[in-house]
Amino acid sequence: MTATSGTAAESGRTAWRNWAGNVRATPARVVTPASVGELQEAVRRAAAEGLRVKAVGTGHSFTAAAATDGVLVRPQALSGILSVDRAAGTVTVAAGTALKDLNRALAAQGLSLTNMGDIMEQTVSGATSTGTHGTGRDSASIAAQIRGLELVTADGRLLVCSEKENPEVFAAARLGIGALGVVTSITFAVEPLFLLTAREEPMRFDRVTAEFDQHVAENEHFEFYWFPHTGNCNTKRNNRSQGPAAPPGAVSGWIEDELLSNGLFQAVNSLGRAVPAAIPSIARIASRALSARTYTDIPYKVFTSPRRVRFVEMEYALPRERAVEALRELKAMVDRSGLRISFPVEVRTAPADDIPLSTASGRETAYIAVHMYRGTPYQAYFTAAERIFTAHGGRPHWGKVHTRDAEYLAAAYPRFGEFTALRDRLDPDRVFGNDYLR
């Protein structure tokens, strides 16, 4: 891949696939702009040639949101912190910056995001555009922490967006699934670095579900994992702490996060894929082997974990008051089926926000995520789970496997029409369209 003066580095047809390997595309060309001007020119040229344009980050979405047969934009050369405004409590960062690099750079400056998801491999634009979230009683998704952004539109213009400047575009483009343009920079709200104490504790399924509302109310960040084929869960409560910092020991942290959560988990899933009948027994042993632990560290080291075992995922956002009922139905469905599920089911929460296509738009939300090891047939499990989630008014995560269409989404999102009308105005020719968005 070579760059010419004033032109984005580009290459011809080459296959692209996502992290999980379940989505593939062969774009006409791949461009890696080194400046916003190069990106604008790449968009104008593609539009003139009748080619569609999609930006792709690290491919951590399980949907074809970024797939294209036109021009694939890799924004990784547009990276780094552009400015810090301590008085306003904001940081502006280029769109191709990886969350892990942002988190480390912020920590070095004594700053942090308020909340984040559980992995940090994605680019900031990819994560926010698909609705990446963690868990929180009061603090919402990463997109809800955006205070401003810049966007290259279908005609190659650069739009500066905030609550004061192009506010209707700002409202929607914080989570735009790439449908409104290519994000070039994002301004996040940040705060002084703080400490979180994490308390991980095994708990029975019946107790967690009976006490779910209590746990959510009493903790700033509560989540739990249920192990299918068992009545066992692992809970995690993260709350702000005065300190001192007490991170996991080097050896115990490696055992928990690398050996057990990645190395052994990889081996167990490989065995389960080869011998599905063994999965329930493995799940019972693995879930009983969990032990409680407590540690205190800076936010990104508590919120995030390495995820090296590859999988495919579906996640639905439900009205929070419907989550426990849906989860019990999911457990009953798995128990009576012949399905063999080696991955735990993850449950998290979020407060209502004001982003049109946010999964938490306008309502208190609980998320239920189901996973299958990469290479294992997942369709039967996901179809049965999706039937339960949609019966409870669920909204699919934009970056995770689902089968919903515009008719369903328009009913699930009160502001869906507002978003599509804005898209018609900004991109009438669907320069940023693809099969997934259509």
Side-chain angles (χ1 to χ4, degrees), residues 400-424:
K400 299 177 185 179
V401 175
H402 68 90
T403 64
R404 298 301 88 188
D405 60 12
E407 182 182 6
Y408 180 93
L409 297 167
Y413 288 89
R415 300 173 67 185
F416 191 77
E418 175 186 330
F419 185 93
T420 55
L422 178 64
R423 182 193 188 200
D424 287 341

Side-chain angles (χ1 to χ4, degrees), residues 71-252:
V71 176
L72 193 71
V73 176
R74 304 303 301 260
Q76 279 80 352
L78 302 173
S79 66
I81 290 179
L82 304 176
S83 65
V84 177
D85 187 336
R86 291 182 181 272
T90 61
V91 59
T92 300
V93 59
T97 309
L99 282 168
K100 60 185 177 185
D101 296 329
L102 173 61
N103 285 328
R104 291 166 184 156
L106 287 175
Q109 298 206 36
L111 299 168
S112 178
L113 294 170
T114 297
N115 198 356
M116 58 194 80
D118 58 5
I119 60 171
M120 55 177 188
E121 299 301 315
Q122 313 100 309
T123 59
V124 294
S125 54
T128 55
S129 293
T130 53
T132 295
H133 62 91
T135 189
R137 179 188 62 203
D138 311 306
S139 53
S141 71
I142 303 178
Q145 298 170 62
I146 294 177
R147 297 295 176 265
L149 58 87
E150 294 188 355
L151 183 78
V152 173
T153 57
D155 57 5
R157 286 181 301 143
L158 182 67
L159 275 189
V160 179
C161 306
S162 67
E163 288 184 343
K164 295 179 179 177
E165 202 168 354
N166 296 303
E168 74 290 352
V169 180
F170 171 72
R174 288 174 289 172
L175 198 171
I177 333 173
L180 304 178
V182 180
V183 175
T184 61
S185 70
I186 298 174
T187 299
F188 289 105
V190 291
E191 59 177 301
L193 195 64
F194 55 94
L195 291 172
L196 283 172
T197 292
R199 180 182 170 198
E200 298 175 8
E201 179 186 6
M203 199 175 287
R204 294 289 294 171
F205 179 91
D206 290 344
R207 180 184 165 193
V208 179
T209 51
E211 298 176 354
F212 180 66
D213 288 338
Q214 177 186 338
H215 290 308
V216 172
E218 291 177 353
N219 296 279
E220 291 175 76
H221 310 275
F222 175 71
E223 64 185 304
F224 70 94
Y225 297 85
W226 163 59
F227 294 83
H229 311 296
T230 80
N232 301 326
C233 298
N234 197 34
T235 63
K236 185 175 181 181
R237 301 168 231 198
N238 299 331
N239 291 286
R240 295 197 183 212
S241 169
Q242 295 302 308
V251 174
S252 63

Side-chain angles (χ1 to χ4, degrees), residues 297-311:
D297 214 330
I298 59 176
Y300 83 83
K301 294 186 178 182
V302 173
F303 284 130
T304 69
S305 305
R307 292 277 186 268
R308 307 193 208 289
V309 181
R310 301 204 179 202
F311 53 85

Side-chain angles (χ1 to χ4, degrees), residues 39-51:
L39 173 60
Q40 290 175 278
E41 181 53 38
V43 171
R44 290 191 197 104
R45 179 184 165 197
E49 295 174 357
L51 293 173

